Amino acid sequence: MKAMKPVIVLSIAVAFVIIMIPAVLVLPFSNDVTSGKLAEQLEKKEKEEGKEVTANEMSSIDVAVYRTATQKIQKLPLETYLSGVVAAEMPADFEEEALKAQALTARTYIVNQLMSNNRRGLPKGADVGDTEMHQVYKNNNELKKQWGSDYKWKMKKIDKAIKETEGKILTYDGKPITATFFSTSNGYTENSEEYWQAEFPYLKSVSSPWDKESPKFYNKMVVDAGDFERKLGVSLSSGTTIGTVVQRTSGNRVGVVEIGGKKLTGKQIREKLALNSSDFDWERQGNQIVITTKGYGHGVGMSQYGANGMAREGKNYEDIVKYYYKGVKVQSSSKWINTMTAKK
């Protein structure tokens, strides 16, 4: 048997070392049971929560609307419902940024409503009504009848506002807000607790000077003295004073009035007399009470005419909503949409 050449022997030795060293290094751990590994779940979760919601995802959620006129429930994709709400709630000739702000509040309102169990005043199976009790909604046929030849350009403008805020809602402390809005302020919005007694940290009184340009800023109405007494449950004296305002709100509306030995809140008087606003004044002229109001609506949240005024000054929709809703964030609704989809 011939002796092996030194070079061959060296090569075999090197190969043996290369093969055996990894096995030797692994051997001490070969009997251990694997108990964990580097996870990526947190990173994936963060990406999922931050993703944008597509129109298809929003449209996968149906809104059951109780139609007051027909007394029937109509199911609509969420984005279709939003078009009918924005069209019914805000004039289409408003600035685009104001319409975007309205689309954002409308989407926030319905997401919040769908997530809640509050169906008070609604028939079984309905999520929301089509009146001011929730949000006013009108379908295409109703809007065509209302707008006539202007229907196409108005709907195009509204759908654009909805598209450009797609999937976004307003949140406070990580939750959708109660996104209340109204037509015209008296120059100030109102603290929520001074109108509804429910305090929300983001629904606080702010100055809204743009509303003075609204055609609804001032209004005058005449009420028969007898109707005035009957509706308020008071008796008017023959003196020169008809009641006394003893308290005003932060938004400079009537807080409390003493009249005929009775105390009534400004909200109660507004509702009983069907006034445009709870910022009012009156005087007696013969057998009639002439009432002057300033503003239109409850005054809590976003003023629509104020939003339009801000948009005219170059403010964008995020500027507008963050002005009227203190401390809120504009956030993707994916978290809540995914929850609602999972429940289906």
Side-chain angles (χ1 to χ4, degrees):
M1 184 174 180
K2 294 182 179 179
M4 295 179 70
K5 293 182 179 181
V7 174
I8 297 174
V9 173
L10 180 62
S11 298
I12 293 171
V14 170
F16 178 79
V17 170
I18 291 172
I19 293 170
M20 290 303 295
I21 284 178
V24 171
L25 291 174
V26 171
L27 188 61
F29 305 99
S30 62
N31 293 325
D32 290 349
V33 177
T34 300
S35 60
K37 63 180 180 179
L38 182 62
E40 297 183 16
Q41 184 177 355
L42 178 60
E43 182 179 356
K44 290 179 180 179
K45 182 179 179 182
E46 288 174 348
K47 288 179 179 178
E48 182 178 305
E49 289 181 353
K51 73 178 182 180
E52 293 297 320
V53 180
T54 66
N56 286 338
E57 288 172 315
M58 293 297 286
S59 295
S60 68
I61 302 296
D62 286 334
V63 180
V65 186
Y66 177 65
R67 303 310 314 275
T68 308
T70 60
Q71 296 186 339
K72 293 181 179 179
I73 295 174
Q74 181 180 5
K75 286 193 174 183
L76 304 162
L78 194 148
E79 293 293 291
T80 302
Y81 166 75
L82 286 179
S83 292
V85 169
V86 176
E89 288 282 10
M90 179 175 274
D93 56 1
F94 270 23
E95 298 292 320
E96 287 187 5
E97 294 302 313
L99 287 166
K100 290 178 190 178
Q102 184 69 68
L104 201 59
T105 62
R107 187 181 292 105
T108 304
Y109 183 95
I110 192 58
V111 168
N112 196 25
Q113 176 68 8
L114 292 174
M115 291 295 295
S116 77
N117 294 318
N118 182 11
R119 301 295 185 269
R120 186 174 56 188
L122 293 169
K124 185 177 180 180
D127 296 317
V128 70
D130 63 358
T131 69
E132 291 177 357
M133 178 182 174
H134 296 104
Q135 298 186 115
V136 179
Y137 167 81
K138 293 183 179 180
N139 62 28
N140 285 331
N141 290 335
E142 291 164 332
L143 292 170
K144 286 176 181 178
K145 185 176 180 180
Q146 176 182 327
W147 289 338
S149 60
D150 291 330
Y151 173 80
K152 285 187 177 180
W153 74 262
K154 286 187 174 183
M155 280 309 301
K156 183 178 180 180
K157 189 175 179 182
I158 287 166
D159 287 338
K160 183 173 183 285
I162 291 170
K163 176 67 176 176
E164 293 186 5
T165 60
E166 186 176 288
K168 295 179 181 178
I169 60 171
L170 295 167
T171 65
Y172 182 89
D173 198 22
K175 297 177 182 177
I177 71 169
T178 300
T180 59
F181 55 87
F182 62 98
S183 170
T184 305
S185 80
N186 64 340
Y188 299 88
T189 66
E190 191 68 280
N191 288 345
S192 59
E193 67 271 20
E194 293 188 89
Y195 195 80
W196 289 311
Q197 297 183 334
E199 184 175 1
F200 295 92
Y202 47 83
L203 294 177
K204 295 299 180 182
S205 178
V206 297
S207 173
S208 191
W210 309 276
D211 301 65
K212 292 178 182 178
E213 302 301 318
S214 168
K216 299 179 180 180
F217 189 71
Y218 284 112
N219 185 64
K220 185 175 287 187
M221 65 180 290
V222 178
V223 180
D224 181 81
D227 288 339
F228 185 90
E229 291 178 309
R230 178 177 55 80
K231 290 177 179 179
L232 296 185
V234 299
S235 296
L236 299 180
S237 65
S238 57
T240 56
T241 300
I242 304 176
T244 303
V245 176
V246 296
Q247 182 181 321
R248 282 199 175 267
T249 67
S250 300
N252 203 34
R253 291 165 178 79
V254 174
V256 178
V257 175
E258 286 186 355
I259 180 170
K262 187 175 182 178
K263 283 188 176 181
L264 293 168
T265 66
K267 178 187 178 183
Q268 288 173 326
I269 293 172
R270 180 195 173 211
E271 292 175 349
K272 290 176 183 293
L273 297 179
L275 304 180
N276 284 356
S277 167
S278 54
D279 184 359
F280 53 79
D281 194 7
W282 58 52
E283 62 180 11
R284 186 167 189 164
Q285 294 181 3
N287 197 39
Q288 295 180 323
I289 309 297
V290 180
I291 306 172
T292 303
T293 56
K294 189 186 293 185
Y296 191 98
H298 50 65
V300 182
M302 185 183 76
S303 163
Q304 293 173 315
Y305 273 89
N308 198 47
M310 289 184 71
R312 285 179 175 174
E313 292 183 358
K315 303 297 184 183
N316 64 37
Y317 74 92
E318 289 202 29
D319 296 328
I320 294 168
V321 295
K322 289 180 179 179
Y323 180 78
Y324 283 108
Y325 305 106
K326 294 302 179 185
V328 301
K329 293 181 179 179
V330 177
Q331 186 176 346
S332 168
S333 61
S334 61
K335 176 180 176 181
W336 296 277
I337 293 299
N338 290 340
T339 300
M340 285 186 280
T341 303
K343 288 180 180 180
K344 292 181 65 177

